[in-house]
Amino acid sequence: MSCASEYAPQLRARGFRMTSQRMAILHVLRHSGKHLSPGEVYRQARKDLLRLTEPTVYRTLEFLAENGLVHPSNSGSGHLTYQIAGEDHHHVLCRVCGSEVEIEHALLENLYHKLESTSGYLRIDSHVTFFGVCPTCQNS
């Protein structure tokens, strides 16, 4: 399935169209399989869309995140990275070496339910990054 056929209907259902910029950015994120900084997205997407500008990438990533097509997360350096929306997951980052491990959303599902029941908010959606010291750095 191509990116256009997968994501264009989702945008149309929200009243938006699939632009070449959105398509290029979604394509990069979908095929990277990892979190990318806006700069990395820009450099990769620009290979296919020469007139793409870095400010457009930032605005488009924000738009795609607001519409649930990509997920932003804190990379630990205070900068956001982005990944294509899919299975919810979270991260644990090492404060010492920066290594990271993905953790399944299921581990936090009870916490999300408790947040909803105590706060009154529904459909709480977040990408959580925890910080700690990895086993390798603990032994150093």
Side-chain angles (χ1 to χ4, degrees):
M1 178 178 280
S2 76
C3 291
S5 62
E6 186 171 348
Y7 300 112
Q10 294 176 52
L11 286 173
R12 275 197 299 275
R14 292 176 174 94
F16 302 107
R17 62 187 182 90
M18 178 62 78
T19 64
S20 58
Q21 295 89 347
R22 292 171 185 164
M23 174 58 62
I25 291 166
L26 286 166
H27 180 80
V28 165
L29 289 171
R30 182 168 187 249
H31 295 286
S32 77
K34 61 181 185 173
H35 291 265
L36 297 174
S37 70
E40 291 169 319
V41 172
Y42 168 69
R43 284 187 291 282
Q44 291 183 34
R46 194 159 185 272
K47 293 174 187 173
D48 293 327
L49 197 61
L50 294 175
R51 296 184 309 173
L52 185 65
T53 66
E54 203 162 0
T56 297
V57 170
Y58 277 89
R59 283 191 306 272
T60 303
L61 285 168
E62 193 173 301
F63 167 84
L64 294 171
E66 289 170 0
N67 284 282
L69 297 175
V70 302
H71 288 302
S73 68
N74 185 325
S75 67
S77 64
H79 300 284
L80 287 179
T81 59
Y82 293 84
Q83 185 175 39
I84 201 76
E87 291 218 10
D88 288 338
H89 66 279
H90 308 282
H91 295 95
V92 179
L93 251 66
C94 179
R95 286 187 189 108
V96 178
C97 71
S99 67
E100 73 178 82
V101 175
E102 281 190 11
I103 55 174
E104 294 180 26
H105 179 71
L107 291 172
L108 300 176
E109 212 159 340
N110 288 338
L111 173 62
Y112 276 79
H113 291 303
K114 188 166 185 159
L115 283 169
E116 288 178 349
S117 67
T118 59
S119 70
Y121 283 74
L122 295 178
R123 295 186 303 252
I124 294 174
D125 183 24
S126 180
H127 189 107
V128 179
T129 303
F130 296 97
F131 297 90
V133 179
C134 73
T136 303
C137 292
Q138 291 172 31
N139 297 323
S140 296

